Amino acid sequence: MSHKVTIVMYHYVRDLIHSKYPNIKGLDKNDFKGQIEFLAKNYNFITMEEMIDSYYNKTLLPKNAVLLTFDDAYIDHFNVVYPVLNNMGIQGSFFAPVRAVMENSMLDVNKIHFILAAQENINEIIKKIYILLDKYRVEYKLESNLYYYTKLAKENRYDIAEVIFIKRLLQVELEENLRKIITDELFKEIIGVDESIFSRELYMSLDQIKCMCKNGMHIGSHGYDHYWLGSLSRENQKIEIEKSLEFIKAVGGDLNYASICYPYGNYNADTLSLLQNYNFKVGMTTRVEVSDLSLDNPLELPRLDTNDLPKAANIEVNKWYT
Ligand SMILES: [Zn+2]
């Protein structure tokens, strides 16, 4: 018996090789099945409700407890993930950015993923971005291209420096209005598909999420607009949180077990105090660690990435095995 939970984070889970964008950074469906078999062999699956009860009622969890979390409401989760989990009697927790599901619009972060996946030579994208920055420099009082590149191009555990430059520039650095203009122009030029059509092929529908919820899957908050919550005013964070709670209620979720997973893993002290006011029980970050319910703040639980764990049943456990 233990207080530890290995929370695993997933994003795209798809038939990568046969998909139109095989370069998207995602998990192939066979690797997903292999990882589930690996986890079934070495871990004990728990539900979100069991994890929450364990924290608040001090009940113990099985040894090597594992909880599966899926961010961003991709249609992959309904088509690929849900059938596997349903067959094996495993619960997944799904965190849907409400706007993507309800408005048939694409999150800018996803536009950027597909731009990166469609154009193999990253320098070509950077060249196009520089042209757009030149175009808007005076109007938006922008710094030089070199200023942005030097400031933002810093590799991390997931991406090379050039990719980080593009993501940071278009997700945080420029003002919101301009970020959207530049991302849309790139998407139009490189992908060339109407956003509402692309969005319907990318995200789950409301009915699909309702169906999963009805069949025992957990639905949590991932904000409305998928903002970096820590970059918003308290008032705007409140709106994000309230709208996401309305959505959870609308799909049939139980607000006594409200959970959130922070877009980009980003939040601040205002976020945490608002979540307490709204009676959220747990929050999941992108800090890379096995969660320990006897030590961690329940609103700041760390998660492993799918790539931190083996993807086939016969592979030995690694350093993350507790
Ligand atoms: Zn997300």
Side-chain angles (χ1 to χ4, degrees):
M1 294 297 186
S2 151
H3 297 287
K4 294 207 169 183
V5 185
T6 299
I7 306 177
V8 193
M9 168 176 74
Y10 296 89
H11 288 93
Y12 300 103
V13 184
R14 45 177 58 197
D15 188 355
L16 271 182
I17 303 145
H18 300 104
S19 79
K20 203 173 160 197
Y21 299 95
N23 293 325
I24 199 94
K25 277 190 132 191
L27 181 66
D28 185 78
K29 67 174 178 119
N30 292 322
D31 287 337
F32 175 68
K33 284 181 195 156
Q35 185 157 84
I36 296 299
E37 285 165 20
F38 168 85
L39 293 172
K41 189 174 155 193
N42 298 292
Y43 288 75
N44 291 298
F45 293 102
I46 61 166
T47 66
M48 180 64 82
E49 293 74 19
E50 283 169 337
M51 182 171 83
I52 290 170
D53 283 340
S54 157
Y55 180 82
Y56 290 91
N57 303 329
K58 305 292 166 213
T59 54
L60 286 168
L61 292 169
K63 223 173 148 232
N64 296 308
V66 64
L67 179 81
L68 307 180
T69 65
F70 302 85
D71 294 11
D72 297 343
Y74 299 123
I75 196 137
D76 307 1
H77 301 166
F78 188 77
N79 292 340
V80 178
V81 170
Y82 174 51
V84 173
L85 299 188
N86 204 27
N87 262 337
M88 296 179 69
I90 300 165
Q91 187 201 57
S93 293
F94 297 85
F95 299 90
V98 181
R99 180 164 68 81
V101 175
M102 300 303 286
E103 295 182 21
N104 292 317
S105 63
M106 270 181 84
L107 302 179
D108 286 348
V109 59
N110 292 138
K111 285 184 191 154
I112 296 165
H113 292 158
F114 284 93
I115 289 165
L116 289 168
Q119 170 62 267
E120 277 181 59
N121 184 349
I122 186 123
N123 291 318
E124 288 299 316
I125 306 175
I126 293 179
K127 242 191 256 171
K128 288 185 179 28
I129 289 175
Y130 284 169
I131 292 170
L132 289 164
L133 290 176
D134 292 342
K135 180 172 156 189
Y136 293 106
R137 187 162 334 271
V138 177
E139 186 183 344
Y140 285 86
K141 299 191 179 65
L142 301 178
E143 303 285 349
S144 71
N145 295 342
L146 184 66
Y147 167 87
Y148 292 120
Y149 193 83
T150 312
K151 179 176 175 190
L152 305 171
K154 311 238 155 65
E155 67 170 357
N156 69 12
R157 76 193 285 256
Y158 300 112
D159 291 312
I160 57 170
E162 288 88 344
V163 171
I164 296 290
F165 164 68
I166 295 173
K167 287 184 173 177
R168 287 281 141 81
L169 183 79
L170 299 178
Q171 284 168 7
V172 199
E173 180 71 19
L174 301 176
E175 70 166 80
E176 191 178 350
N177 186 27
L178 182 61
R179 291 196 314 247
K180 190 162 169 38
I181 291 172
I182 292 186
T183 306
D184 284 350
E185 290 202 24
L186 288 172
F187 189 78
K188 207 167 150 195
E189 192 179 338
I190 295 171
I191 307 289
V193 178
D194 181 72
E195 180 176 339
S196 75
I197 294 171
F198 204 98
S199 137
R200 272 171 243 253
E201 289 173 2
L202 183 60
Y203 306 108
M204 291 189 275
S205 68
L206 183 65
D207 283 342
Q208 287 167 333
I209 296 175
K210 277 184 182 168
C211 167
M212 292 203 306
C213 186
K214 201 172 149 200
N215 288 293
M217 300 292 137
H218 175 87
I219 310 297
S221 165
H222 200 39
Y224 186 87
D225 251 308
H226 203 264
Y227 285 129
W228 290 54
L229 290 173
S231 74
L232 299 181
S233 67
R234 187 181 171 97
E235 194 47 40
N236 285 337
Q237 290 197 48
K238 194 167 164 243
I239 295 168
E240 283 286 312
I241 290 166
E242 281 177 354
K243 282 161 118 180
S244 71
L245 281 173
E246 278 167 28
F247 177 80
I248 293 170
K249 214 170 142 192
V251 298
D254 181 352
L255 295 186
N256 290 314
Y257 289 97
S259 68
I260 184 167
C261 141
Y262 307 106
Y264 313 100
N266 186 269
Y267 59 95
N268 61 16
D270 278 336
T271 325
L272 298 178
S273 88
L274 284 165
L275 292 173
Q276 275 183 334
N277 295 348
Y278 284 94
N279 201 23
F280 274 77
K281 297 302 195 305
V282 287
M284 270 134 298
T285 70
T286 49
R287 183 162 68 85
V288 184
E289 190 54 75
V290 171
S291 281
D292 186 335
L293 301 181
S294 64
L295 296 173
D296 293 319
N297 178 345
L299 292 176
E300 299 181 277
L301 297 177
R303 297 188 287 177
L304 300 188
D305 184 76
T306 170
N307 292 316
D308 292 320
L309 293 167
K311 290 165 188 152
N314 54 7
I315 296 178
E316 288 294 301
V317 296
N318 65 15
K319 65 165 180 163
W320 296 110
Y321 193 69
T322 54

